[in-house]
């Protein structure tokens, strides 16, 4: 019997919309969504506008891979840590020959031969470049130019597509079709020097504070400015020096033209990590992504991510990926644009690599409801493939509380995207891997300058490893509180938390103070890199997919955060409380305890 593995149990789900439009005889509607909120439908695109179409074929033995993932990630299983090779993973997710044959025959009927196709290593994705007029015939649909009112972003999309009836079961998903997600970073709020003094002198305040949750003695200055030393003190990692630097590794994903400037990194190292001076990271371009070193183009998000993730884990091998994904776009231009979620382009690239960093942080995501369920499932299948190879994938939980970060009912903006426009909490995607919320201050409380993202997925069921702690949280909520605003059977997030405000970074040559769960995720990834070092030097495998471990053997290694809340959607949101909560998860890490427990 297959285990109920929860967030990564990726059984195909029904469409988001119960009532599907009719299709041309001989076709069946594959997916349909309501016209998305905030987007305005415009003219038809030019007939020769080229679309890069990605076709996902069913992963024939994914249930077997899922079983492997459950076993190698369960600390009480005999196979814990026995990760699979890239080649074995590809064998398990390869489509059945009948799927390949059916799809190839269909594509050939439109004049597309093998030379026109790009296949993933496992052949479970096929990518083609075709004019929109051809795509419309293939999918029995009509594309339009859609404009996002608030940002001005423009996409060529449809709200429904169909497949020939005989092909229906041979394809899981096709995009870009119904995807209206807008990849965004967590808030990354910057406080400029004009507002407050963040000089080294101001930060160097004397005295210590005892954190009540962890018992750690922390410099008083950490209540004003977070540095590497603050995190080491607060999370009981002070004095630990990684040794297993050959096998160990950490990675940061970069999107949306966020460039990681090496000069800024050197300034940061001189300020907080002088032993790392004159060292840097490996840069890897994905889909033509660049890392422009013009200091004026240094990105706040990228600076925060690389400086703290790599500074905290130094001298562990470090990688920064830059994934292209937001070029200038005119809807009458033939040039195809990468307006899909670039994190899936990154995922495709990384899964094709023989070696992958063992701890990876991403500070970007979407509102879950803007990502079609079928596409979300396939993305999570990709994250599962990394997990079964021994990689820990970590995402920030977002900075908008339970939805929009707005407690005012009169101006809240949390509405369903299914055509009903009812008020509902808005979970983020992907929060199905390991999700990190935000704290602040010493003693630690849930962050308050923005609001730690948290809640419950509407797509993914609660995993079995979460059952006990989430049930306990829900049982203690006042009866009827937020009824119908969230899915109590959904996967809860975040899983954990770490400091998320007043981080001292260097940006464009000067120190800045920055906050957001954008800071929390790379910090936690740095702690995971240190834990991997401890395991590798003891001849043990890396931690891989973290959650089954965190919710069992790792529970005693977290500082429980019991103060704060995450308002949004016209409510006060949830409260941080004893045990797991959808604000700070299990709490913040105690490295010293975790390395002994794990």
């Amino acid at each position: 019997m297959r285990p109920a593995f929860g967030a990564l149990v990726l059984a195909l789900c029904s469409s988001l919309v119960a009532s599907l439009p009719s299709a041309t005889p001989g076709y069946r509607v594959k997916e349909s969504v309501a016209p998305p909120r905030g987007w305005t439908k415009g003219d038809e695109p030019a007939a020769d506008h080229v679309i890069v179409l990605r076709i996902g074929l069913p992963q024939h033995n994914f249930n077997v891979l899922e079983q492997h993932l459950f076993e190698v990630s369960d600390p009480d299983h005999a196979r814990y840590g026995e990760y699979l090779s890239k080649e074995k993973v590809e064998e398990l997710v390869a489509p059945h020959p009948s799927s390949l044959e059916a799809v190839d025959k269909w594509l050939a009927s439109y004049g597309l031969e093998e030379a026109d196709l790009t296949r993933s290593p496992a052949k479970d994705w096929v990518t083609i470049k075709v004019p929109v007029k051809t795509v419309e015939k293939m999918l029995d649909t009509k594309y339009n130019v859609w404009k996002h009112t608030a940002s001005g972003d423009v996409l060529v999309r449809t709200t429904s597509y169909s497949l020939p009836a005989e092909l229906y079961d041979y394809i899981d998903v096709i995009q870009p079709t119904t995807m209206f997600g807008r990849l965004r970073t967590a808030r990354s709020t910057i406080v400029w020097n004009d507002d407050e003094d963040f000089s080294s002198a101001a930060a160097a305040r004397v005295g210590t504070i005892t954190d009540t949750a962890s018992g750690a003695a922390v410099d008083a200055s950490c209540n004003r400015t977070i540095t590497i030393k603050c995190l080491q003190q607060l999370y009981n990692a002070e004095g630990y020096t990684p040794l297993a630097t050959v096998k160990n590794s950490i990675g940061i994903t970069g999107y949306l033209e966020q460039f990681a400037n090496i000069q800024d990194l050197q300034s940061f190292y001189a300020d907080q990590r002088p032993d790392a001076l004159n060292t840097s990271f490996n840069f890897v371009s994905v889909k033509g992504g660049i890392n422009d070193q013009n200091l004026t183009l240094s990105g706040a998000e990228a600076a925060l991510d690389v400086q703290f993730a790599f500074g905290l884990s130094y001298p562990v091998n470090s990688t920064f990926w830059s994934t292209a994904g937001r070029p200038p776009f005119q809807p009458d231009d033939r040039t195809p644009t990468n307006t899909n979620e670039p994190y899936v382009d990154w995922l495709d690239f990384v899964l094709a690599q023989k070696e992958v960093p063992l701890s990876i942080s991403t500070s970007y995501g979407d509102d879950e409801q803007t990502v079609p369920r079928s596409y979300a499932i396939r993305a999570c299948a990709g994250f599962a493939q990394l997990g079964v190879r021994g990689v820990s994938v970590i995402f920030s939980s977002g900075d908008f509380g339970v939805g929009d970060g707005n407690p005012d009912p009169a101006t809240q903006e949390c509405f369903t995207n299914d055509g009903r426009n009812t008020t509902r909490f808005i979970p983020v995607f992907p929060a199905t891997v390991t999700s990190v919320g935000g704290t602040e201050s010493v003693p630690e409380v849930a962050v308050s300058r923005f609001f730690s993202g948290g809640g419950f997925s509407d797509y993914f069921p609660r995993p079995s490893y979460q059952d006990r702690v989430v049930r306990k949280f829900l049982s203690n909520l006042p009866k009827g509180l937020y009824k119908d605003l969230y899915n109590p059977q959904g996967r809860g997030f975040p899983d954990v938390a770490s400091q998320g405000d007043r981080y001292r970074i260097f940006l464009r040559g000067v120190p800045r103070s920055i906050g957001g769960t954008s800071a929390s995720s790379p910090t936690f990834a740095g702690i995971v890199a240190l834990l991997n070092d401890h395991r590798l030097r003891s001849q043990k495998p890396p931690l891989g997919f973290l959650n089954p471990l965190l919710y069992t053997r790792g529970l005693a290694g977290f500082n429980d955060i019991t103060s704060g809340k995450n308002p949004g959607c016209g409510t006060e949101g949830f409260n941080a409380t004893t045990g797991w909560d959808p604000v700070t998860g299990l709490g913040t890490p105690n490295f010293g305890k975790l390395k002994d427990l794990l």
Side-chain angles (χ1 to χ4, degrees):
M1 178 177 173
R2 229 170 38 146
F5 199 54
L8 291 174
V9 173
L10 303 173
L12 288 177
C13 301
S14 61
S15 170
L16 289 174
V17 179
S19 178
L20 297 177
S22 59
T24 299
Y27 281 76
R28 291 177 60 189
V29 175
K30 186 67 176 179
E31 191 160 43
S32 181
V33 300
R37 284 184 55 83
W39 291 86
T40 302
K41 183 178 180 180
D43 296 335
E44 296 179 9
D48 60 352
H49 171 72
V50 177
I51 290 180
V52 179
L53 204 65
R54 293 166 46 87
I55 304 168
L57 282 63
Q59 297 168 323
H60 185 55
N61 287 312
F62 186 80
N63 62 324
V64 180
L65 181 140
E66 195 174 66
Q67 177 71 32
H68 282 295
L69 179 61
F70 178 82
E71 294 175 355
V72 302
S73 304
D74 180 357
D76 295 320
H77 197 280
R79 291 190 59 224
Y80 178 63
E82 294 181 6
Y83 302 118
L84 304 187
S85 67
K86 169 182 177 290
E87 292 75 20
K88 180 62 176 178
V89 170
E90 290 169 357
E91 177 186 324
L92 291 173
V93 301
H96 192 276
S98 60
S99 294
L100 285 168
E101 181 181 354
V103 172
D104 287 354
K105 182 179 178 181
W106 175 58
L107 295 176
S109 71
Y110 287 92
L112 295 164
E113 304 297 339
E114 187 63 32
D116 302 311
L117 315 181
T118 301
R119 301 185 190 271
S120 63
K123 298 185 177 180
D124 55 332
W125 284 103
V126 179
T127 303
I128 56 176
K129 293 181 181 180
V130 281
V132 68
K133 62 182 178 183
T134 303
V135 179
E136 290 177 337
K137 292 177 183 178
M138 295 171 69
L139 304 183
D140 186 34
T141 190
K142 181 63 69 176
Y143 278 77
N144 285 88
V145 177
W146 292 78
K147 185 173 183 178
H148 189 253
T149 306
S151 68
D153 288 352
V154 177
L155 298 176
V156 172
R157 294 292 189 269
T158 181
T159 56
S160 176
Y161 71 95
S162 303
L163 290 170
E166 68 274 12
L167 195 66
Y168 190 88
D169 293 328
Y170 293 118
I171 291 177
D172 277 351
V173 61
I174 299 180
Q175 291 293 345
T177 48
T178 57
M179 170 77 76
F180 286 86
R182 296 179 59 251
L183 185 71
R184 65 184 183 187
T185 177
R187 187 170 287 163
S188 298
T189 305
I190 297 175
V191 177
W192 300 99
N193 283 354
D194 291 344
D195 300 323
E196 295 189 49
D197 180 9
F198 290 104
S199 65
S200 297
R205 297 175 186 268
V206 296
T208 59
I209 305 170
T210 300
D211 180 63
T212 52
S214 65
V218 182
D219 289 353
S221 62
C222 299
N223 253 333
R224 178 181 178 84
T225 302
I226 293 295
T227 63
I228 293 292
K229 183 179 180 182
C230 291
L231 297 173
Q232 291 171 333
Q233 292 177 339
L234 192 56
Y235 299 142
N236 194 16
E238 197 170 22
Y240 185 87
T241 301
L243 296 178
T245 56
V246 174
K247 295 182 178 180
N248 199 6
S249 49
I250 184 171
I252 291 292
T253 60
Y255 303 105
L256 308 180
E257 294 84 57
Q258 280 283 322
F259 306 132
N261 186 271
I262 295 172
Q263 182 178 330
D264 278 340
L265 180 65
Q266 296 306 311
S267 297
F268 175 83
Y269 282 162
D271 185 62
Q272 297 187 35
R273 195 83 212 224
D275 56 330
L277 266 173
N278 300 318
T279 68
S280 189
F281 49 82
N282 303 309
F283 169 68
V284 178
S285 171
V286 180
K287 292 282 187 176
I290 63 174
N291 193 34
D292 196 314
Q293 289 302 295
N294 184 329
L295 192 62
T296 63
L297 298 178
S298 179
E301 178 62 58
L304 169 63
D305 288 352
V306 302
Q307 289 172 23
F308 273 88
F310 302 161
L312 189 59
S313 60
Y314 177 79
V316 172
N317 292 318
S318 55
T319 295
F320 175 72
W321 295 277
S322 177
T323 304
R326 197 175 55 180
F329 172 60
Q330 295 296 328
D332 58 354
D333 192 341
R334 273 187 51 83
T335 304
T337 61
N338 181 359
T339 50
N340 274 358
E341 273 48 46
Y343 58 71
V344 178
D345 287 330
W346 170 84
L347 189 55
D348 289 347
F349 175 86
V350 167
L351 286 172
Q353 308 307 306
K354 183 77 173 178
E355 301 292 335
V356 181
L358 298 176
S359 175
I360 299 174
S361 172
T362 300
S363 295
Y364 299 78
D366 287 317
D367 291 343
E368 184 182 71
Q369 66 174 357
T370 67
V371 180
R373 191 187 303 250
S374 60
Y375 201 59
I377 288 170
R378 282 303 293 258
C380 282
F383 296 132
Q385 291 172 57
L386 285 176
V388 82
R389 288 174 58 178
V391 178
S392 300
V393 182
I394 299 159
F395 278 83
S396 58
S397 72
D399 300 332
F400 300 91
V402 292
D404 62 359
N406 179 10
D408 183 359
T411 57
Q412 64 90 9
E413 297 179 350
C414 299
F415 300 100
T416 58
N417 208 31
D418 57 5
R420 296 179 298 154
N421 292 334
T422 57
T423 300
R424 190 170 177 84
F425 293 165
I426 308 296
V428 300
F429 177 83
T432 47
V433 195
T434 299
S435 176
V436 188
T439 62
E440 65 179 357
S441 304
V442 184
E444 287 189 278
V445 298
V447 72
S448 62
R449 189 153 62 101
F450 50 88
F451 302 113
S452 179
F456 301 86
S457 172
D458 284 324
Y459 286 3
F460 297 96
R462 183 166 65 243
S464 57
Y465 57 73
Q466 274 196 330
D467 258 343
R468 183 173 65 86
V469 295
V470 175
R471 285 180 186 274
K472 181 179 179 182
F473 173 81
L474 293 173
S475 69
N476 290 328
L477 283 179
K479 188 174 182 179
L481 180 68
Y482 305 146
K483 181 174 169 33
D484 299 327
L485 290 183
Y486 70 98
N487 173 21
Q489 279 72 50
R491 182 262 198 270
F493 73 98
D495 299 294
V496 295
S498 66
Q499 284 278 318
D501 204 6
R502 299 184 178 276
Y503 276 58
R504 178 180 168 85
I505 67 167
F506 275 76
L507 179 65
R508 301 173 190 173
V510 295
R512 303 293 190 204
S513 181
I514 191 168
T517 53
S518 287
S520 307
S521 182
T523 293
F524 191 79
I527 294 293
V528 172
L530 297 182
L531 291 170
N532 278 336
D533 172 82
H534 181 71
R535 288 182 60 81
L536 290 167
R537 71 166 73 179
S538 303
Q539 306 303 309
K540 294 180 180 179
L543 293 173
F545 177 50
L546 296 167
N547 294 4
L549 176 68
L550 301 182
Y551 284 88
T552 53
R553 192 173 297 177
L555 276 172
F558 286 88
N559 311 314
D560 196 8
I561 309 303
T562 59
S563 180
K565 54 191 176 183
N566 60 350
C569 305
T571 75
E572 290 300 306
F574 296 108
N575 289 327
T577 187
T578 301
W580 179 90
D581 56 69
V583 186
T584 59
L586 300 172
T588 58
N590 184 316
F591 171 75
K593 288 184 178 180
L594 285 169
K595 74 179 178 63
D596 293 338
L597 289 168
L598 307 183

